[in-house]
Amino acid sequence: MAVVKITVKKNGPFRVEAPEGAIELVDADGTPYDLTGKTAFSLCRCGGSVTKPFCDGTHSKIGFQAAELAVKKADNLG
Ligand code: FES
């Protein structure tokens, strides 16, 4: 079984679950985010979070629809 589990939430964030210390999350400059004590967190993929890269729940307020849903809809048109 994998140590890290990433779940693509329907029309929501990427949910990351891992033992404490198993993941290092860094910004574009290589500065690490403090994940002390965290065994799970969610990464924003809607672009609306004010606490990026973490999800703050904004996706549900703005009606975010994930790309895979858009692709399915486009496929049905053809
Ligand atoms: S995915 Fe939740 S705020 Fe962006």
Side-chain angles (χ1 to χ4, degrees):
M1 187 169 150
V3 174
V4 177
K5 179 180 179 184
I6 302 174
T7 305
V8 180
K9 303 296 280 186
K10 186 175 183 180
N11 298 323
F14 295 112
R15 182 72 176 164
V16 181
E17 298 170 88
E20 185 176 355
I23 292 180
E24 181 179 26
L25 179 64
V26 299
D27 67 13
D29 298 323
T31 305
Y33 291 92
D34 183 9
L35 299 176
T36 304
K38 293 190 179 187
T39 57
F41 54 90
S42 296
L43 295 174
C44 176
R45 68 175 174 141
C46 76
S49 175
V50 296
T51 60
K52 292 182 194 78
F54 302 102
C55 169
D56 68 356
T58 298
H59 61 271
S60 59
K61 295 177 192 153
I62 64 174
F64 172 67
Q65 291 196 330
E68 60 266 27
L69 184 59
V71 170
K72 281 183 189 172
K73 285 181 180 176
D75 285 348
N76 289 336
L77 295 176

